[in-house]
Amino acid sequence: MAVESGKPVPDFSAPATGDTTVTLSALKGQQVVIYFYPKASTPGCTTEGGDFRDRMAAFEAANTVVIGVSRDGLRAQENFKAKQDFNFALISDKDETVCRLFDVIKLKKMYGKEHLGIERSTFLIDKAGKLAHEWRGVKVAGHAQEVLEKAQALDAASASAD
């Protein structure tokens, strides 16, 4: 079953950089941005990750954790994170468990050939673990800033409700 807007996101655990495991339920009480990218160390994915990295202080101020996900192995994710100095975890989703939960595996065309790959997508989960916002078929330019603004607005709304 894939995630639905306004509904709780099913819990998952996945291997991540830094010899850690990311478990969604362990992040309750914080907002979570999960962004899916096609491949580590490619130009668009490097730019997107850098845009999130450069806004981490603002995400943290909005009580928001950022996590990147691709089907790359842990070594590729570790190298990507280290080389780009990313200040957030990258999940290695080789078995596509997290990708399928968020329904981001799509039929894509490259050089006239069809293959299944990750559609660049981002999800914002609220402090209670519900899907607050989703972006699919993302264009990198300006995206991290748009996600940050939604996270800040959601955090402000939840703070005034508390």
Side-chain angles (χ1 to χ4, degrees):
M1 191 186 92
V3 297
E4 282 182 64
S5 200
K7 299 258 170 48
V9 175
D11 196 20
F12 66 84
S13 288
T17 49
D19 204 22
T20 61
T21 299
V22 170
T23 301
L24 185 60
S25 58
L27 300 172
K28 269 225 171 95
Q30 299 175 84
Q31 297 177 161
V32 181
V33 167
I34 299 179
Y35 81 95
F36 292 83
Y37 57 94
K39 188 142 182 57
S41 301
T42 56
C45 300
T46 299
T47 300
E48 184 178 28
D51 288 348
F52 279 110
R53 174 198 62 218
D54 296 346
R55 290 166 175 78
M56 270 316 289
F59 275 109
E60 288 168 356
N63 190 30
T64 305
V65 176
V66 174
I67 302 165
V69 182
S70 77
R71 298 184 301 180
D72 294 289
L74 270 176
R75 181 178 297 147
Q77 296 288 51
E78 291 285 5
N79 291 342
F80 187 36
K81 180 178 177 172
K83 187 172 181 193
Q84 301 304 325
D85 204 21
F86 290 157
N87 44 10
F88 50 87
L90 299 178
I91 287 176
S92 169
D93 193 30
K94 285 178 84 82
D95 65 3
E96 299 178 356
T97 304
V98 183
C99 290
R100 294 200 183 281
L101 177 65
F102 286 88
D103 191 29
V104 298
I105 301 291
K106 303 292 180 192
L107 195 58
K108 299 168 92 176
K109 267 195 168 140
M110 187 181 258
Y111 308 119
K113 288 188 176 12
E114 290 188 333
H115 69 284
L116 287 174
I118 292 180
E119 175 185 52
R120 193 180 302 279
S121 307
T122 303
F123 301 86
L124 175 59
I125 301 167
D126 71 14
K127 292 193 305 190
K130 290 184 180 144
L131 182 59
H133 201 80
E134 62 186 284
W135 294 262
R136 295 184 181 270
V138 165
K139 300 286 178 258
V140 172
H143 177 63
Q145 183 61 37
E146 185 184 336
V147 175
L148 174 60
E149 288 165 11
K150 281 274 187 223
Q152 289 169 327
L154 185 62
D155 184 55
S158 76
S160 64
D162 287 344

